[in-house]
Amino acid sequence: MFDIDLWREIFQSINKNRTRSLLSGFTVAFAILLFVILFGIANGLKNTFAQAFVDDATNSIFINAGMTTKAYKGLQSGRRIQLKNEDQNFIEDEYGNKVQYITSRIYKNVNASFRNEKNSYNLRAVNPDHQFLEKTMIRDGRYINQLDIDNKSKVVVIGRLVEEDLFLKTTALGKYINLSGIPYKVVGIFTDDGGDNEERMIYMPVSTAQQIYGNNDYIDQINLGYNPELDYDQAINFGRQLENKLKERFTVSPKDQRAIRVRNMAEGTKQVGMMTFGLTVIIIVIGFGTLIAGVVGISNIMIFIVKERTKEIGIRKALGASPRSIVSIILIESILITAIAGYVGLLIGVGVLEFVGPILEPYFIKDPGVSSSLVVSATITLIIAGSIAGYLPAKKASKIKPIVALRND
């Protein structure tokens, strides 16, 4: 394997037959290039779908109320449906085994200030479970807890960018921030993969907001996470049951689409999963079809190489070369060409994906790429398949008697 004369002979053979070597290498390089691009685009689409759910739990259900649009059971249309704390309690009591997390939400816009710094921010009043539904990551301090809810504590958890905006030379943790004239203690600072808008958010206990902004038990939205043990179909059915039950609770027509709105992430997640699976199957079929085409190309070239070198094989045998040495020199040459061409195809494919990545983002393909292990595995598959395909004719040629090989046209 490390015989200098053997390797010198291999490189001389490659140099002497440049066209043949280039054709062999092109077949492999093109197969790997196409394989990388196809799987890279598929991964880019998967990244886009994943990005869409990055800042919300995939098992979320959002419940909103609005105005009735249909008269029902003697009640006129145009009634405003108002969610309250008791509605959250009703859901917990009725569907406790199907609910993993649940929180109310109240939305406000507040003017925040600390010393001489001021800015306007969106505020969400929530329950402790909201942290898991929103995928909020606490960087410093803590999140809102049940004691804050029970005591209606004047505490807030602020986003990383809120701290950067207002607390220029000090940490916000433990300080008091003024929200529309009322001081609140900062008990936590969070980060969120959802982007800058999410990190410019302020959270406070829902009970505190209800006391300060109306002295009532009204809420704007109920957000829950269904039990992750439910499959997509069960989760979708649960969302429909929940919607029907709430419409019945508020005496709303089952056909009224605006009075009670339930948005179930399971529906979108199922569709995305089916689309991703279908896309993956298509890409795998096309990708492996490309590899098979590469294998066929290598096999044909290997057969041609062996046939072309029949006389050479006869001379080698006449000079005392063993069948093993004859087979090995042909296979090593093939493996060397395939490995180099595969690596070149990989580099070009990765380069193409890097170049077109920003261009493809408007087409919902984000960060297209492919794992090196997958491409290396594909290259090794090509090498092994090509070697096996070439081994058979090489083995057959090595058994030809020298006199017969020298007479070959």
Side-chain angles (χ1 to χ4, degrees):
M1 188 70 177
F2 295 99
D3 187 341
I4 295 177
D5 292 332
L6 173 65
W7 284 101
R8 184 184 295 116
E9 199 170 337
I10 289 171
F11 284 114
Q12 286 176 349
S13 175
I14 293 173
N15 186 57
K16 182 180 177 182
N17 302 280
R18 294 178 184 175
T19 303
R20 184 192 70 199
S21 301
L22 286 173
L23 287 174
S24 303
F26 177 79
T27 302
V28 177
F30 183 75
I32 295 298
L33 168 64
L34 194 55
F35 186 85
V36 169
I37 292 175
L38 287 172
F39 271 87
I41 291 174
N43 287 333
L45 287 170
K46 290 180 181 179
N47 292 338
T48 300
F49 294 142
Q51 184 68 27
F53 300 108
V54 71
D55 65 333
D56 289 312
T58 54
N59 62 331
S60 293
I61 295 178
F62 301 89
I63 303 169
N64 292 282
M67 305 285 288
T68 59
T69 58
K70 298 180 183 296
Y72 185 66
K73 289 187 177 181
L75 298 174
Q76 297 297 317
S77 62
R79 287 184 297 126
R80 176 174 176 77
I81 304 300
Q82 177 64 62
L83 296 173
K84 298 182 179 180
N85 291 339
E86 61 191 48
D87 299 314
Q88 177 181 330
N89 297 333
F90 167 77
I91 294 172
E92 291 181 271
D93 294 338
E94 190 78 11
Y95 300 103
N97 62 327
K98 294 184 179 180
V99 176
Q100 182 186 30
Y101 301 114
I102 188 167
T103 180
S104 300
R105 279 182 174 182
I106 297 174
Y107 298 95
K108 296 290 180 182
N109 186 271
V110 294
N111 295 314
S113 64
F114 177 77
R115 295 177 182 169
N116 296 324
E117 303 300 325
K118 298 179 181 180
N119 211 334
S120 178
Y121 299 98
N122 290 323
L123 179 143
R124 285 181 187 164
V126 297
N127 296 101
D129 280 1
H130 189 271
Q131 178 182 1
F132 307 103
L133 293 167
E134 189 67 22
K135 295 185 178 180
T136 303
M137 296 167 286
I138 296 298
R139 193 196 70 187
D140 298 307
R142 64 173 178 83
Y143 200 71
I144 292 163
N145 58 34
Q146 189 58 43
L147 195 61
D148 296 327
I149 301 293
D150 296 338
N151 295 336
K152 301 179 181 178
S153 305
K154 291 182 180 179
V155 297
V156 292
V157 179
I158 66 173
R160 175 183 62 87
L161 295 180
V162 177
E163 181 186 42
E164 289 185 9
D165 291 343
L166 302 181
F167 299 82
L168 303 180
K169 297 181 179 180
T170 183
T171 178
L173 192 62
K175 305 294 192 305
Y176 282 83
I177 185 173
N178 190 296
L179 301 182
S180 300
I182 301 174
Y184 295 83
K185 185 176 182 180
V186 178
V187 296
I189 299 150
F190 71 88
T191 60
D192 194 304
D193 289 336
D196 290 357
N197 288 338
E198 292 294 332
E199 293 190 328
R200 281 200 166 87
M201 193 77 64
I202 298 175
Y203 293 121
M204 74 164 51
V206 66
S207 58
T208 306
Q210 287 173 333
Q211 183 182 52
I212 292 174
Y213 299 108
N215 194 25
N216 54 44
D217 60 352
Y218 296 164
I219 54 180
D220 295 327
Q221 183 186 73
I222 297 175
N223 182 200
L224 63 90
Y226 60 80
N227 190 329
E229 293 182 2
L230 300 178
D231 61 31
Y232 289 139
D233 291 331
Q234 291 173 328
I236 291 170
N237 288 333
F238 168 54
R240 290 170 182 168
Q241 291 174 12
L242 185 59
E243 182 175 359
N244 293 334
K245 199 72 174 181
L246 289 173
K247 285 182 176 179
E248 182 182 321
R249 177 178 172 83
F250 286 99
T251 318
V252 171
S253 170
K255 297 181 180 180
D256 195 329
Q257 301 299 316
R258 295 189 180 182
I260 299 292
R261 302 185 302 278
V262 176
R263 182 165 64 93
N264 193 341
M265 297 284 277
E267 296 177 4
T269 305
K270 181 181 179 180
Q271 291 175 355
V272 168
M274 292 173 62
M275 186 183 301
T276 303
F277 176 77
L279 179 66
T280 301
V281 170
I282 292 171
I283 293 297
I284 287 175
V285 170
I286 296 174
F288 279 97
T290 304
L291 291 183
I292 291 171
V295 170
V296 172
I298 294 172
S299 302
N300 291 335
I301 292 172
M302 286 290 293
I303 293 171
F304 175 76
I305 289 172
V306 172
K307 185 177 181 180
E308 185 186 51
R309 299 176 68 173
T310 302
K311 287 186 178 181
E312 177 190 329
I313 291 170
I315 294 172
R316 288 177 180 276
K317 291 198 71 176
L319 294 174
S322 65
R324 180 179 178 182
S325 66
I326 293 171
V327 172
S328 63
I329 193 171
I330 295 174
L331 289 184
I332 292 172
E333 179 182 334
S334 173
I335 290 172
L336 181 64
I337 293 172
T338 306
I340 293 174
Y343 184 69
V344 170
L346 169 61
L347 289 180
I348 295 174
V350 171
V352 169
L353 290 177
E354 288 285 338
F355 177 75
V356 303
I359 301 173
L360 293 176
E361 279 202 30
Y363 301 96
F364 306 104
I365 299 174
K366 182 177 177 61
D367 299 329
V370 64
S371 65
S372 57
S373 59
L374 179 64
V375 181
V376 170
S377 299
T379 305
I380 292 174
T381 301
L382 272 178
I383 293 172
I384 294 174
S387 300
I388 293 173
Y391 174 79
L392 298 177
K395 185 69 174 177
K396 182 179 180 181
S398 69
K399 293 180 179 180
I400 298 176
K401 294 180 179 180
I403 188 66
V404 175
L406 290 171
R407 286 176 181 174
N408 185 62
D409 293 328

